[in-house]
Amino acid sequence: MSIVKGTLLLASAFLLAVLIVKPIGVSTQFVIFDGIVMDSVNPDYVTESTKNKTGYESQNAYLNKSGGKYAKSVANPINYSFVFVVAMMVGAFISSKLRAKDSTEDKAVPTVWREKFGGCKVKRYTVAFLAGILVLYGARLAGGCTSGHMMSGMMQTALSGYIFAAGAFLAALPVAIFTFKKKGK
Amino acid sequence: MEILLAVLLGGFFGFALDRVGANNPNNIINMLKLTDLRLMRIILGAIGVSSILMFGALSLGLMDVGHLSIKEAYTGVFVGGLILGVGFALSGYCPGTGLTAFAVGRKDALFFLLGGFVGAGLYMWSFQSIKDSFLFEKILGGKVSLGVIENSGYEAVFQGMNGNLIGIVLGLVFILLAWKLPAKLRG
């Protein structure tokens, strides 16, 4: 896909979302998923409440904040933001089935990783797991991720979007350059 | 109705992420290494185009200003961005593309997602002890846009400047950057 077409496609996704409903965001739903799991193990984790304005409360301070808005989403998983994120996966899957497959690409160890660290799956999976911890911890501390802060935020000229992008790239550029530096250079 | 919109808009976003190659960690890592700026140009261009059209729609009264959602600016936004940036560079995934990469069959993305659920859980667990710390000190008022967006209810960093105009001008700057960036900055 050409750069211009790709730009217009991605722009349409962000634009339609804000025109029709609200800006796109993803990382909150990892918390909602965790909350759903916790609540299924311990039914008292999220309960109905008369104290909170949303009508739900949680033992967890984070789910309980802002009037229990995350607690409410945990109690009602069929809500806009959660379904949106599940639908993203379906959309990507459909797209991948409709396009030509990249048969040369290994689905376990990406080429750029393999060139530097070899084909060991365990090594790649371990780093991907640890990176996942950092990415979601960081996203929640920041209150958003690449979609919510960087794209939706900068689209709306939100100061927070610029601050997030500065932090993310300030760390990501040197880490990527150093980690994946070609041997002998 | 809202759920139907979630399915359609979410599905379209996932479709777009796949088509622009954002699911592919090679493209993300090469972008961050500055050896292939294709995806960077698409992202910058998309922010620019959507910004211009959104603020254009706002100026013409074609969009409900209540749909805007400006997130708060506080110290943790920067610190969280730094932490996320490290994981983003090591894995080549962000939360959204980790999900869609898993959906298109990338096995390492599953491990990224499992880590993500642990990371989100660690944050839920630690929130109580950090919530009153310096990390949550607001920056320039917190929920602020750069210019004044009428009837949005948000304060502006630059008082007295037209927020719609700033949005359109910055949109043009993003498009110019996307257009002028070379294919790569490093070898």
Side-chain angles (χ1 to χ4, degrees):
Chain A
M1 177 171 282
S2 75
I3 289 186
V4 172
K5 272 193 198 164
T7 301
L8 295 177
L9 184 66
L10 196 58
S12 323
F14 280 90
L15 184 67
L16 287 173
V18 75
L19 286 182
I20 302 172
V21 187
K22 63 175 184 176
I24 288 176
V26 176
S27 66
T28 306
Q29 304 318 311
F30 281 75
V31 168
I32 304 304
F33 182 87
D34 282 352
I36 293 168
V37 172
M38 287 298 290
D39 194 46
S40 67
V41 177
N42 169 13
D44 294 333
Y45 197 67
V46 169
T47 50
E48 288 190 31
S49 152
T50 48
K51 277 183 292 181
N52 280 346
K53 65 170 189 256
T54 59
Y56 292 90
E57 66 179 340
S58 173
Q59 298 170 351
N60 180 268
Y62 191 58
L63 293 181
N64 208 35
K65 82 178 187 111
S66 311
K69 67 174 177 178
Y70 294 156
K72 185 183 178 189
S73 299
V74 169
N76 305 282
I78 310 297
N79 63 71
Y80 176 83
S81 300
F82 197 72
V83 172
F84 183 96
V85 167
V86 175
M88 278 171 66
M89 299 175 69
V90 178
F93 178 77
I94 292 172
S95 165
S96 74
K97 291 293 167 198
L98 296 177
R99 66 175 156 80
K101 280 193 186 54
D102 181 3
S103 55
T104 59
E105 175 68 11
D106 182 337
K107 293 294 189 185
V109 184
T111 309
V112 62
W113 178 276
R114 179 183 294 271
E115 282 171 355
K116 176 76 195 234
F117 300 107
C120 174
K121 288 181 187 173
V122 175
K123 206 193 253 185
R124 169 63 183 166
Y125 291 167
T126 306
V127 173
F129 178 79
L130 296 173
I133 295 178
L134 291 174
V135 167
L136 265 300
Y137 192 92
R140 282 300 84 214
L141 174 58
C145 61
T146 332
S147 304
H149 258 316
M150 201 179 294
M151 298 221 38
S152 300
M154 283 163 61
M155 170 184 81
Q156 299 174 90
T157 69
L159 175 66
S160 52
Y162 285 88
I163 292 173
F164 175 83
F169 281 106
L170 203 62
L173 296 180
V175 170
I177 290 169
F178 178 77
T179 307
F180 297 99
K181 190 168 58 182
K182 291 232 169 69
K183 286 168 195 155
K185 273 197 183 175
Chain B
M1 182 61 193
E2 209 183 36
I3 299 304
L4 179 65
L5 285 172
V7 170
L8 294 174
L9 292 168
F12 182 55
F13 182 45
F15 185 93
L17 284 176
D18 184 68
R19 286 301 154 118
V20 303
N23 290 338
N24 184 334
N26 293 303
N27 293 339
I28 300 278
I29 290 169
N30 287 331
M31 167 181 92
L32 296 172
K33 281 168 70 187
L34 307 174
T35 53
D36 179 3
L37 299 182
R38 209 188 116 80
L39 191 55
M40 176 85 84
R41 296 176 70 189
I42 290 177
I43 293 171
L44 289 171
I47 295 174
V49 170
S50 55
S51 192
I52 290 172
L53 294 176
M54 191 196 81
F55 282 105
L58 273 178
S59 313
L60 299 171
L62 299 173
M63 181 192 145
D64 180 354
V65 71
H67 287 187
L68 292 186
S69 176
I70 306 259
K71 291 175 188 276
E72 193 165 273
Y74 51 92
T75 316
V77 173
F78 184 73
V79 178
L82 288 172
I83 298 172
L84 174 140
V86 174
F88 187 38
L90 291 174
S91 60
Y93 294 125
C94 65
T97 65
L99 287 161
T100 51
F102 173 62
V104 305
R106 285 195 179 267
K107 298 186 185 108
D108 55 341
L110 173 63
F111 292 86
F112 173 84
L113 294 178
L114 292 173
F117 293 126
V118 172
L122 283 174
Y123 186 72
M124 291 162 73
W125 172 72
S126 65
F127 180 71
Q128 178 70 36
S129 46
I130 61 172
K131 70 183 171 72
D132 298 316
S133 73
F134 75 98
L135 288 168
F136 292 92
E137 275 168 23
K138 288 182 191 178
I139 299 171
L140 297 176
K143 290 191 176 186
V144 290
S145 53
L146 296 181
V148 180
I149 306 171
E150 265 186 56
N151 301 321
S152 67
Y154 295 111
E155 295 289 321
V157 176
F158 302 107
Q159 303 279 346
M161 287 183 79
N162 183 317
N164 293 348
L165 189 63
I166 289 189
I168 291 169
V169 170
L170 281 175
L172 290 169
V173 171
F174 276 111
I175 291 174
L176 191 70
L177 265 174
W179 183 28
K180 291 294 177 192
L181 265 185
K184 56 184 180 177
L185 286 167
R186 295 173 68 246

